[in-house]
Amino acid sequence: MLKQRSVPALGKEARHNAILGALANDPTVRISTLAGKFGVSTETVRRDIEALSARGMVRRTYGGASVSHPASQPRLSERELVLVNERRRIGEVGAALVEEGAVIMVDAGSTTTHFARALAGRGVRATLLTNSIDAALAAGSSDGLRVLLAPGEFSAVERGLYGPETAAFLRRFHVDMAVIGASGLTEEGPSEAESRAAWVKRAMLERAPRRLLLADSSKFGRAFLEQVCPAEQITDLITDAAPPPPLAAALGRHGLRLDIATKV
């Protein structure tokens, strides 16, 4: 009688990657199927899917998961609860690049708020223009930072200001650096789930010779509704892990500077 060989259980990170890989080939996956494939309980897979859903990487369905819609992402209040340490480190590395007296534009997002908080903690003298309520409050805690808040239509969900008045305001200024986040990053460049956010990012990028993208590794290989700009328009990528080889190669062709915010 043949002895049945047990399936070695995968670690959490490996399971998450395997779930995303499965969805790349099939728009829906079943929890029971994944549990058998991974050698873990259905409850473990359910928690994996919940974690990926909180990061906007998949959409939960009855008994499984499906690909997330390119025009949707979790609320800011949900996004800021995941990958907190990674995003904090990314913000700190970005803030360390700001020189005394610099003028910076910062868009609304969870990682960019970490940037503003880290910049305030440095005590450097600089001017910060933003459409983010959270970033303005974080930067405003420092006596060394002058904060200019863009006008526009207020979004309580994103705690930011958007619209034609926002873009027109931003285009009035000459700045040293634009600091933006993104919903996803592919070889084509950063993309956004919300068009209004993409418009603000473009207005900021237009005004700055140095253009920083703060994006954690969960954004790699993910394309959302609207492309913000071509990859070559980004001068710096600050992230928490090395991009996969195809993405790294595409970004490297454009001379982009890569900074990886590693654990201390």
Side-chain angles (χ1 to χ4, degrees), residues 154-214:
F154 175 63
S155 166
V157 171
E158 293 297 312
R159 300 199 291 274
L161 297 124
Y162 302 92
E165 289 184 352
T166 311
F169 172 83
L170 295 170
R171 291 189 175 107
R172 287 166 43 192
F173 297 91
H174 299 283
V175 303
D176 300 296
M177 180 185 292
V179 181
I180 68 167
S183 300
L185 176 63
T186 67
E187 297 170 28
E188 293 184 343
S191 58
E192 263 299 323
E194 291 201 29
S195 292
R196 61 182 178 177
W199 301 336
V200 169
K201 295 175 197 294
R202 289 192 199 104
M204 291 184 172
L205 295 174
E206 288 172 8
R207 307 306 298 168
R210 191 167 188 183
R211 300 172 291 276
L212 276 64
L213 173 62
L214 311 185

Side-chain angles (χ1 to χ4, degrees), residues 13 17 20 55 57 83 86-87 90 185 214-222 238-244 247:
E13 184 176 355
N17 290 334
L20 295 174
R55 292 161 62 182
M57 304 182 78
L83 299 174
E86 290 83 353
R87 291 171 175 173
I90 290 170
L185 176 63
L214 311 185
D216 64 75
S217 55
S218 72
K219 312 294 178 65
F220 295 162
R222 304 186 64 210
I238 305 176
T239 185
D240 62 301
L247 178 58

Side-chain angles (χ1 to χ4, degrees), residues 49 70 91 103 116 129 166-167 222 232 254 258:
I49 289 173
V103 182
L129 297 95
T166 311
R222 304 186 64 210
E232 57 265 29
H254 306 302
L258 174 66

